Amino acid sequence: MMMKTACKTAAAILLCIGMTAGCKPADKSKDNGTPADTATAKPTDHMANYVRPEIPQMMTDPKDRAEYYVAHYWDAYSWADTAFVHSDETEQLYADFLGSLKYASPDRRHAALQSMMRTMETDSTAYAHFCFLNDKYLYDPNSPMRNEDYYISVLEQMLQSPRLTDTEKLRPVHRLKQARKNRPGMTATDFSYVTPSGKSARMSQLKADCLLLFFYDPDCTNCRESEHILSNIPFVLDMQQSGKLRILAVYTDDDRDEWLRKAPQMPKDWIVAWNKQGDIRSRQLYDIRATPPYICWTRIRG
């Protein structure tokens, strides 16, 4: 039984629900527009040590302009100024850079992120601070800018960097291993579960065009809010009624009694499950770092 990611539009909608319901933003960063909007910006009082890249006037294609912009974004950055490195201005520049990456192709985004980290390698303080920003914006489960693709790019550079010792690379090694699991196009990791009636089964045995995995905590208020939202999305309801979609709600911790008490409160058309074996957590089959739930959208293929 093969499970592969599919239905990209639906997945994006559901992932947004999972990440935003009840979450407190990890920071105040925001997307400040397209690269073209900021390409000709001049230094201001709050960015006195930085000049944004100027895109050549003869470059008119929007994609080319975006890719030039992100490739040269950090060229004039004052990494040697320690106070500037740790300032709010640098953090805002970093957030704006992440917002600009969406206008570039995946390969250019990857190259731009790695180039940013190589630029910061010139100074140990700058490199350490950008490693911190990567964790805060790209890895923190409550960050509104969390992005596993971007994080993989910077982790790969960190493992190549002479700025980090072998001991300091242990955490990036582990996080990269986790981030590479259950990626788009890969076979989703199978696991066993039991239902409140005591029936045992495996995820791979479920029959449907699409399967939505909903990892939750029965005592989590934010999870309940996400359950309510999902249960009232017309698109989701239509797919369930047609038999094209099944939702498997999985509890991964060890409080069986709490799970059983709260199981009747779950949506009636969901499969309520407990990973009794505990291997989702113990073997880290999925990278579940926080609730509200981590949501994975997959297609089942026979």
Side-chain angles (χ1 to χ4, degrees), residues 35-36 39-40 53-59 64-66 68-69:
T40 58
E54 293 191 7
I55 301 174
Q57 293 184 357
M58 71 284 295
M59 191 175 289
D64 290 343
R65 290 172 63 83
Y68 180 93
Y69 183 78

Side-chain angles (χ1 to χ4, degrees), residues 227-299:
E227 293 161 17
H228 178 74
I229 293 171
L230 278 172
S231 298
N232 289 279
I233 296 177
F235 169 76
V236 174
L237 292 173
D238 289 345
M239 288 196 69
Q240 285 183 281
Q241 292 172 1
S242 67
K244 295 181 179 179
L245 168 67
R246 303 193 75 178
I247 299 179
L248 178 63
V250 187
Y251 173 55
T252 62
D253 286 328
D254 55 6
D255 193 340
R256 173 181 174 274
D257 292 339
E258 178 71 10
W259 169 69
L260 281 175
R261 279 196 301 271
K262 300 292 179 64
Q265 301 175 16
M266 298 294 287
K268 301 301 182 184
D269 49 0
W270 292 17
I271 302 170
V272 181
W274 174 40
N275 180 227
K276 181 179 180 179
Q277 188 173 340
D279 54 348
I280 291 179
R281 291 282 189 183
S282 64
R283 296 175 56 198
Q284 298 182 312
L285 302 183
Y286 289 82
D287 191 15
I288 306 170
R289 300 195 298 274
T291 54
Y294 171 89
I295 295 176
C296 177
W297 180 276
T298 61
R299 171 169 289 174

Side-chain angles (χ1 to χ4, degrees), residues 23-44:
C23 283
K24 295 181 179 179
D27 50 70
K28 298 180 180 179
S29 60
K30 60 183 179 179
D31 180 4
N32 286 338
T34 67
D37 294 333
T38 56
T40 58
K42 301 300 181 182
T44 63

